[in-house]
Amino acid sequence: MTDNIILVGPMGAGKTTIGKRLAKHLHRPFVDVDEVIEKRLGVTIQTIFDTEGESGFREREKNILNDILNENNNAVIATGGGCVLTEDCRRMIVCQRLIIHIDVSLETQYQRLRLDKKRPILQGGNLREKLKLLREQRHQIYSSIADMYLLTDKKSFRQIARLVSSQLSPQS
Ligand code: S3P
């Protein structure tokens, strides 16, 4: 069993922001799966979707998650919102030490993402409807693999850090 902490949850929930702060607080490295994908391939996620479609992106996401998990043993790792859709990714994630479902209310999510241009699956159409549908499709998947649930809208980072530390302490 590794000591990695994995953050799963919807787009705009704050996985990257919280992950960075948490990593600093816990003196661990921080890794963002989407950032590694873009760095290794030298193109944006939008370009991968444009050239290879969502299935091509999911394949790349799976391979890079596998590499990241092989290369890290005590990191805080933020995954993309759709990573858990891939069965192999779920299988890799559930072997890690602590899986945190970072969640956000639909309204806060909408406010954070309404001007977003970087997330291919949110472009075009009615954003509120899309976010609602994605939540219906994915919420249960996040819940089913997570050890811990954090609705972040109304929590301070201090509260979040305390909750995470208490989850880690019994085994460390
Ligand atoms: C996606 C979420 C994004 C990114 C890609 C697809 C999704 O990551 O991986 O645009 O399907 O939910 P964030 O959750 O970090 O925005």
Side-chain angles (χ1 to χ4, degrees):
M1 165 84 87
T2 69
D3 204 23
N4 290 317
I5 299 172
I6 313 291
L7 308 185
V8 299
M11 289 172 270
K15 299 182 296 283
T16 303
T17 311
I18 291 170
K20 274 185 188 158
R21 291 192 67 181
L22 205 53
K24 200 167 171 208
H25 179 79
L26 297 170
H27 307 290
R28 289 164 178 252
F30 173 72
V31 185
D32 184 281
V33 176
D34 284 340
E35 199 182 305
V36 177
I37 294 173
E38 290 190 331
K39 262 200 198 130
R40 291 214 181 151
L41 301 179
V43 291
T44 62
I45 285 171
Q46 177 72 63
T47 303
I48 304 171
F49 268 74
D50 289 345
T51 54
E52 302 176 3
E54 181 170 349
S55 60
F57 172 75
R58 296 291 169 217
E59 188 64 23
R60 301 223 179 244
E61 184 178 47
K62 177 181 75 183
N63 293 333
I64 287 180
L65 177 67
N66 187 40
D67 292 348
I68 291 171
L69 294 176
N70 285 331
E71 290 157 10
N72 290 277
N73 196 29
N74 76 331
V76 176
I77 301 169
T79 60
C83 189
V84 298
L85 298 176
T86 308
E87 194 184 347
D88 285 341
C89 291
R90 293 199 297 276
R91 215 174 284 140
M92 289 184 249
I93 290 171
V94 295
C95 298
Q96 309 303 310
R97 166 78 182 276
L98 180 66
I99 303 149
I100 308 177
H101 177 181
I102 306 281
D103 202 10
V104 63
S105 69
L106 270 178
E107 189 50 35
T108 303
Q109 190 186 20
Y110 173 78
Q111 292 304 333
R112 287 182 186 164
L113 296 173
R114 82 199 154 87
L115 302 175
D116 182 84
K117 294 275 174 280
K118 288 190 182 155
R119 292 168 172 95
I121 57 171
L122 298 183
Q123 305 312 310
N126 183 316
L127 180 60
R128 276 187 207 276
E129 287 301 315
K130 276 192 182 170
L131 294 176
K132 198 161 158 271
L133 188 66
L134 284 170
R135 190 176 176 83
E136 282 162 16
Q137 293 167 342
R138 297 175 174 185
H139 184 83
Q140 178 53 32
I141 307 178
Y142 301 132
S143 306
S144 69
I145 61 169
D147 304 304
M148 186 179 178
Y149 176 79
L150 280 178
L151 182 60
T152 54
D153 305 49
K154 297 196 170 74
K155 277 196 174 40
S156 65
F157 179 73
R158 194 199 277 249
Q159 286 173 300
I160 292 172
R162 204 180 318 121
L163 286 165
V164 174
S165 298
S166 70
Q167 281 279 325
L168 289 171
S169 53
Q171 294 167 57
S172 53

